[in-house]
Amino acid sequence: MASSRMLYLILVATVATLGVASCVEGQVLFSTLPKSLVVTAALPDGKPIGEVKTGEDSILVKWTVNSTASVDAVKLKTKLCFASESQVLRGWRATNDDLKKDKTCLYDIATQDFSRTGGETTYKLSKSIPGAKYFVRAYAINAEGKQVATGQTSPNKVANTFTVIPISGRSTSIDIAVGVLSIFSVSALFGFFIFESIYLKRKKAV
Amino acid sequence: MAEKANAMQDPDEAEFMLPVDSEHKARTVKVLSIARPHMRAFHLAWISFFICFLSTFAAPPLIPIIRDNLNMTKPEIGQAAVASVSGSIMSRLMMGTICDLVGPRYGTAFLIMINAPAVFSMALVDDGEGFMICRFFIGFSLATFVSCEYWVSSMFTTKIVGTVNGLAAGWGNLGGGVTQIMMPLIFALFRDSFHNPAFTAWRLAFFVPGTLHVVLGLLILFFGQDLPDGNHSQLQRQGGDVKQGFLRVVYFAATSYRTWVFFILYGYSFGVELTVDNIIAEYFYDRFELNLNTAGLIAAASGLMNIFSRPAGGYFSDLAGHYFGMRGRLWFLWIVQSMGGLMCIVLGKMNSLTPSIIFMIFFSIFVQAACGATFGIVPFVSRRSLGVIIGLTAAGGNVGSVLTQSLFFTSSSYHTEVGLVYMGIMIICCTLPVTLIWFPQWGSMLFPASKGASEEDYYVSEWTAQEQEQGLHFPSLKFATNSRSERGCYGGVTSADPECDQPVAELGLSMWKSYSH
């Protein structure tokens, strides 16, 4: 149909314009970022992380700059990122080379001032983090807020990942409340039936 | 004798706050009143249906939180959404019979109070399977559509029962929209004001629809009444062989091809409305990076169109029927439902937020108007088997939703926006069967009526010769006479309808002809 073809052309033109616009804005592609940062994640006592619990455990994230690289940055952001196996069949966690659209790293760990000698941070896992396998990634941010360098604890999002055990969100008081209210609902219903039929029988008898 | 007749009438009129007919069914509907028994029944009926929609679609706006808590994948989310609308296929079919046996008051109260534990149990689920089972059982409560229509039809006279049904069903469907705003707000309340982690707050949020189930069930039991003169159990039932009659009613409904055409059609107006209720909040959240509340608000706009679009669909169907008869109604239904399909295709192809919202709203208006228009024609398909046909059409709506969700929104192999385009194409294709509907006395979209066919022949043919001898077919005869208005004023076949000469503006509610159960 002519109208749908017209619509298609308008859409292609819009996408093309937006594509050009995003180039003008300066989209950052992950694949073009130099891997100048070295990041490690461990338990606070130095042991490697196997499993950590949200709301209870902390992790120690250390980062340094690769000696041969020159990085012009102001801030350093560390983030918790999904391992490949936690992204399977979950499009809302998909990896995209354009960092504006990338959803691999949804949880922030810390934002610190950048320094060539490196730094570290201890992060207590927030209760809102879902259960999955993760690794840690760091971005060096320049004065305009754009990423200029990166580094991560896992080379390919498969090796050297750790498991985060989430809270269930349930509690005993919720379980009890559900039980009480369900029993109330069913017994109120049948109680009413029984009382009404007794009442009607009495009325008929009278 | 005349004085006696007058004296007989006065006590009736004094007993009810609304003007009533000979069966004590109300002749007008006063939306702002809660007079017993008519208006009280109207409000209890539509509010109970509203609350069932509220709880069935309470999960979708919170999916971004729930999917993280329960570690769900896209196929699991899709399967739970399919489960939520498939439970009520059976329950809708059974509800008509239940209302016949125990009355709509007990039927509705029983359903929503037995369903309350399922809503509360949502707070206990730990994985995708539990979530799916819970949504399946909560979905049973959508059978309140049938009891709502049944109750309202028992309380209001045939001339306005179409409008009142459209109002009750439309306002009930609103629940699917309101819940998209309400649940994120309640979630935010529990998370921020009462300081719970997100994974606890969403569970607590489900106590609200559950409690509403219990409260409304009790209100119906204490304040509801099946019929204008009392409750079902207190009144004598009509004599006759109930079981034989029931089987014949089902036989006539199932063997008419028109029933199955509507089974398919309603799946692509109401069914796609249910599908969109399930997927649209997550679509806006993921595709356009909105927060939960904003995505919920936009998704709600779709459901909120029900305030006027479903009643409007019924009203304009009546307008088309007035001028062009049944052929006008059929054309109107086809145009409106196909436009809904077109809007769905365009919605899927929109890449930015504002056009997506606009086309989603247009899509909702058209499919909801198609729902209203469908029930402008369904009452004429059969007089004898009306209850069963309504149940089958309603069940078809759910089947359509199950089908579209399974086909287009469960697999990970394509994005939701592509699924929307395919769904739009399927709507347009599955609306084509409306061209097949042909009434011998009124014609179809493409073919005129056959000469000499009459409404009486059509409706009386549903009764066997034996039953006609017993005179059981008289209500059908009465209905047939009233249905002559479906010949239309300009349909070509001369209409005996005196209302053709009236200017349209004066017709108003008198355009709704016999839609009684």
Side-chain angles (χ1 to χ4, degrees):
Chain A
M1 286 190 335
S3 55
S4 80
R5 214 174 288 150
M6 252 273 283
L7 215 60
Y8 219 78
L9 279 169
I10 295 176
L11 269 142
V12 169
T14 319
V15 170
T17 325
L18 287 173
V20 168
S22 62
C23 282
V24 168
E25 269 181 24
Q27 54 166 181
V28 183
L29 294 178
F30 183 72
S31 46
T32 61
L33 286 180
K35 311 281 182 283
S36 324
L37 302 172
V38 179
V39 189
T40 59
L43 292 173
D45 53 13
K47 296 212 185 83
I49 311 175
E51 288 179 351
V52 277
K53 292 202 180 125
T54 60
E56 286 175 24
D57 298 333
S58 309
I59 55 172
L60 178 64
V61 174
K62 287 190 191 162
W63 55 273
T64 54
V65 184
N66 199 323
S67 48
T68 54
S70 73
V71 180
D72 163 37
V74 175
K75 294 261 179 229
L76 187 118
K77 254 196 187 153
T78 37
K79 290 183 170 210
L80 208 55
C81 308
F82 291 108
S84 284
E85 69 181 86
S86 294
Q87 291 177 303
V88 168
L89 294 177
R90 293 174 178 87
W92 56 92
R93 295 177 181 172
T95 299
N96 191 317
D97 205 27
D98 179 354
L99 282 178
K100 277 222 171 66
K101 298 186 188 158
D102 181 44
K103 303 268 208 302
T104 322
C105 306
L106 291 179
Y107 306 104
D108 289 338
I109 294 177
T111 305
Q112 301 169 288
D113 289 327
F114 181 79
S115 112
R116 277 211 65 93
T117 50
E120 65 178 43
T121 176
T122 306
Y123 170 61
K124 185 172 176 196
L125 291 150
S126 153
K127 281 189 183 172
S128 58
I129 293 181
K133 293 202 94 152
Y134 293 90
F135 61 96
V136 177
R137 184 183 283 174
Y139 290 112
I141 317 275
N142 69 7
E144 281 110 53
K146 284 216 303 244
Q147 298 88 341
V148 291
T150 184
Q152 59 194 41
T153 59
S154 165
N156 52 5
K157 299 197 297 182
V158 176
N160 201 23
T161 56
F162 56 92
T163 308
V164 167
I165 298 178
I167 59 166
S168 72
R170 290 175 58 177
S171 68
T172 333
S173 42
I174 291 183
D175 295 350
I176 295 175
V178 167
V180 165
L181 284 169
S182 303
I183 292 174
F184 171 72
S185 178
V186 177
S187 45
L189 177 70
F190 285 111
F192 191 93
F193 282 161
I194 294 170
F195 280 124
E196 198 174 59
S197 66
I198 293 177
Y199 172 73
L200 284 175
K201 278 206 188 109
R202 275 208 203 122
K203 253 182 98 178
K204 271 198 189 146
V206 169
Chain B
M1 285 299 280
E3 291 150 15
K4 256 198 186 159
N6 278 337
M8 284 296 284
Q9 269 190 356
D10 282 339
D12 292 351
E13 295 291 331
E15 202 186 319
F16 298 108
M17 299 192 47
L18 296 174
V20 295
D21 66 8
S22 56
E23 291 176 279
H24 293 170
K25 294 184 179 180
R27 279 200 247 117
T28 63
V29 55
K30 283 193 183 138
V31 167
L32 293 175
S33 126
I34 49 165
R36 53 183 309 265
H38 308 99
M39 290 319 303
R40 208 170 273 193
F42 172 77
H43 288 299
L44 285 172
W46 82 259
I47 292 178
S48 58
F49 184 38
F50 175 91
I51 283 175
C52 292
F53 246 93
L54 208 71
S55 53
T56 306
F57 296 105
L62 297 178
I63 290 271
I65 309 290
I66 300 177
R67 69 189 177 193
D68 277 342
N69 192 183
L70 306 182
N71 199 21
M72 293 201 292
T73 59
K74 182 169 180 195
E76 282 178 332
I77 298 174
Q79 281 158 21
V82 168
S84 71
V85 292
S86 49
S88 63
I89 295 174
M90 270 325 287
S91 64
R92 283 178 165 210
L93 289 172
M94 285 165 48
M95 195 52 155
T97 319
I98 293 176
C99 284
D100 271 330
L101 293 172
V102 297
R105 170 177 161 256
Y106 273 175
T108 316
F110 182 82
L111 181 60
I112 65 177
M113 289 184 85
I114 291 287
N115 209 260
V119 183
F120 290 124
S121 307
M122 191 62 102
L124 303 178
V125 297
D126 271 326
D127 56 16
E129 263 178 35
F131 182 67
M132 180 176 76
I133 292 173
C134 228
R135 287 205 74 187
F136 176 72
F137 283 115
I138 298 177
F140 274 57
S141 62
L142 286 182
T144 39
F145 168 70
V146 178
S147 63
C148 170
E149 301 273 279
Y150 190 107
W151 203 355
V152 152
S153 306
S154 309
M155 285 285 179
F156 293 89
T157 192
T158 56
K159 277 207 153 77
I160 58 164
V161 91
T163 311
V164 188
N165 271 348
L167 283 172
W171 290 358
N173 282 11
L174 269 184
V178 167
T179 194
Q180 315 262 6
I181 308 178
M182 190 186 90
M183 291 304 283
L185 286 176
I186 298 176
F187 163 75
L189 181 76
F190 279 114
R191 187 191 55 190
D192 301 332
S193 307
F194 294 122
H195 305 296
N196 287 300
F199 291 171
T200 305
W202 77 264
R203 294 167 188 277
L204 294 172
F206 268 87
F207 279 88
V208 174
T211 312
L212 287 173
H213 271 236
V214 178
V215 166
L216 212 74
L218 292 172
L219 283 176
I220 289 176
L221 287 173
F222 282 109
F223 297 114
Q225 195 174 307
D226 290 315
L227 296 158
D229 292 324
N231 277 321
H232 185 95
S233 52
Q234 298 168 291
L235 303 173
Q236 283 285 356
R237 295 211 54 219
Q238 288 275 342
D241 187 349
V242 178
K243 186 178 173 206
Q244 263 282 38
F246 174 68
L247 286 174
R248 285 231 182 83
V249 159
V250 171
Y251 174 76
F252 281 115
T255 50
S256 167
Y257 75 96
R258 299 180 190 91
T259 310
W260 300 105
V261 170
F262 278 109
F263 183 87
I264 298 173
L265 278 173
Y266 202 53
Y268 290 89
S269 55
F270 183 64
V272 296
E273 185 189 338
L274 291 183
T275 301
V276 163
D277 276 343
N278 259 333
I279 58 129
I280 205 76
E282 200 188 349
Y283 175 68
F284 278 104
Y285 180 90
D286 285 332
R287 187 140 192 241
F288 300 107
E289 323 251 325
L290 305 170
N291 71 26
L292 214 62
N293 283 11
T294 315
L297 206 63
I298 296 173
S302 155
L304 289 176
M305 293 298 116
N306 261 307
I307 298 180
F308 67 88
S309 56
R310 186 168 176 145
Y315 178 80
F316 284 113
S317 172
D318 276 357
L319 209 61
H322 170 75
Y323 285 114
F324 303 109
M326 181 55 69
R327 299 181 77 178
R329 289 187 189 269
L330 291 166
W331 272 99
F332 177 71
L333 175 60
W334 180 77
I335 290 172
V336 163
Q337 196 159 318
S338 302
M339 280 298 289
L342 189 65
M343 293 296 121
C344 192
I345 296 176
V346 175
L347 169 65
K349 292 208 180 281
M350 288 292 116
N351 279 324
S352 55
L353 185 61
T354 314
S356 286
I357 297 178
I358 293 175
F359 281 104
M360 182 199 70
I361 291 182
F362 280 146
F363 163 76
S364 301
I365 292 178
F366 279 113
V367 292
Q368 288 160 14
C371 291
T374 307
F375 278 90
I377 304 176
V378 163
F380 294 101
V381 173
S382 160
R383 170 65 186 82
R384 183 177 188 183
S385 312
L386 182 59
V388 174
I389 291 184
I390 288 185
L392 273 171
T393 307
N398 285 65
V399 169
S401 185
V402 167
L403 211 60
T404 48
Q405 284 181 95
S406 313
L407 286 173
F408 306 127
F409 301 108
T410 310
S411 136
S412 266
S413 52
Y414 43 72
H415 294 292
T416 308
E417 51 266 30
V418 176
L420 283 170
V421 172
Y422 288 158
M423 185 167 81
I425 295 174
M426 196 169 185
I427 294 173
I428 295 182
C429 294
C430 289
T431 307
L432 289 173
V434 80
T435 49
L436 297 173
I437 298 200
W438 181 76
F439 289 94
Q441 69 274 30
W442 296 318
S444 73
M445 273 173 70
L446 305 169
F447 300 110
S450 49
K451 294 200 174 19
S454 78
E455 289 79 3
E456 284 77 9
D457 293 336
Y458 179 78
Y459 289 112
V460 166
S461 65
E462 294 174 335
W463 300 88
T464 61
Q466 210 181 15
E467 289 164 334
Q468 287 180 39
E469 271 171 43
Q470 295 171 9
L472 292 172
H473 65 296
F474 286 138
S476 285
L477 267 181
K478 191 171 162 233
F479 179 75
T481 320
N482 282 326
S483 72
R484 284 179 72 81
S485 59
E486 294 312 304
R487 297 196 173 203
C489 296
Y490 306 111
V493 183
T494 53
S495 170
D497 189 357
E499 287 177 358
C500 271
D501 300 325
Q502 284 181 4
V504 178
E506 283 178 23
L507 284 172
L509 289 174
S510 67
M511 284 205 306
W512 298 91
K513 296 294 178 180
S514 323
Y515 286 3
S516 63
H517 283 267

